[in-house]
Amino acid sequence: GTPSRQRNVLNAQASVQLLQSCTSDFTRAVTGAIMAPSMHVIIVLVLVPLVLVAGIVIYLRFTTGDLVQPTENLKVTSPAFADGGSMPRQYSGRGEDLSPPLDILDISPDAQSIAVIMDDHDHPAGIFNHWVIWNIPASYARIPEGIPHAEVVPSLGGAVQGRSAYGGKHYYRGPLPPFGTHTYVFKVYVLDTTLDLPASARKPDLQREMEGHILQFGTLTGTFGGGRRA
């Protein structure tokens, strides 16, 4: 009896010690997994954001273009810079950020309104919109410098400024490239109607609404860049 009981006690003690040892090993393994993520976890944490950013860039490149591409039949100039020339600093985000004056030549007598879109054509994400304005009366052959920051512009015949892609602002935002020289295109549309669009509308909304109403179309291109100190 006694030797058998002693063996049972020893076996029980050995089992307890083995269980304690296994528990300790398991605890250390779990703690290690939590405190020191595996290489797979690190790779996932790094790659997922990169894939998401790449996907967004690709999406923007294929969705930020022009929904309407009429033939150019309108002459647009500016006393501030020549077509294809460098835009003065005062019309950029490094200066006063004023919208430049635009001259529109030989507007059709059937015209009812004018719309203007300004885009950065060298943005990494594709064509990037800086300014949208519509319902400028067709009598404005000269669009003056420095359009006020407002959704509706009484001084420009009640023209409406929509939301740009550049911060969703209801006003002109000039060039501010982080590096290099970018190309900015002012796109002028002469329409046979005025547009019933809310000020919350963006460039795609404007272009969809003007489709079928474009009498004349012209562009003026400017460049700006040279780094942050330009």
Side-chain angles (χ1 to χ4, degrees):
T2 301
S4 178
R5 282 198 299 272
Q6 289 176 341
R7 282 196 299 273
N8 289 338
V9 171
L10 291 174
N11 288 336
Q13 290 175 340
S15 297
V16 170
Q17 290 175 350
L18 179 61
L19 179 61
Q20 290 175 337
S21 176
C22 290
T23 301
S24 178
D25 291 342
F26 177 75
T27 301
R28 283 197 297 270
V30 171
T31 302
I34 295 173
M35 298 302 292
S38 68
M39 184 58 66
H40 291 96
V41 174
I42 294 174
I43 291 173
V44 169
L45 291 175
V46 171
L47 287 182
V48 167
L50 291 177
V51 171
L52 287 174
V53 170
I56 291 171
V57 169
I58 292 171
Y59 171 78
L60 289 173
R61 278 195 169 274
F62 283 96
T63 58
T64 56
D66 290 302
L67 299 181
V68 293
Q69 296 181 334
T71 301
E72 287 201 40
N73 59 354
L74 182 70
K75 181 71 173 178
V76 181
T77 64
S78 175
F81 58 95
D83 187 31
S86 178
M87 295 176 63
R89 185 184 181 94
Q90 70 219 56
Y91 305 115
S92 79
R94 298 193 185 108
E96 298 171 61
D97 220 5
L98 299 173
S99 60
L102 301 174
D103 288 334
I104 307 168
L105 283 63
D106 299 323
I107 296 175
S108 169
D110 297 323
Q112 294 296 313
S113 69
I114 299 167
V116 180
I117 292 172
M118 193 272 263
D119 290 329
D120 177 355
H121 277 233
D122 290 321
H123 193 278
I127 297 175
F128 191 72
N129 177 246
H130 278 239
W131 189 33
V132 285
I133 183 169
W134 62 89
N135 286 355
I136 302 170
S139 57
Y140 281 82
R142 156 70 66 88
I143 298 176
E145 173 186 272
I147 301 303
H149 291 191
E151 294 182 6
V152 178
V153 188
S155 62
L156 198 59
V160 182
Q161 297 188 99
R163 298 178 64 191
S164 70
Y166 193 171
K169 304 299 184 182
H170 294 271
Y171 50 82
Y172 171 88
R173 297 197 71 181
L176 190 63
F179 51 84
T181 298
H182 286 203
T183 301
Y184 300 87
V185 182
F186 293 83
K187 304 165 186 180
V188 179
Y189 306 82
V190 175
L191 310 179
D192 64 3
T193 187
T194 55
L195 303 177
D196 184 18
L197 276 174
S200 58
R202 295 177 181 268
K203 172 186 169 180
D205 305 312
L206 172 59
Q207 290 194 323
R208 277 191 290 266
E209 192 73 12
M210 71 169 66
E211 192 168 10
H213 296 286
I214 301 171
L215 297 175
Q216 295 169 289
F217 170 69
T219 62
L220 174 69
T221 300
T223 62
F224 189 86
R228 294 190 177 277
R229 298 182 182 277

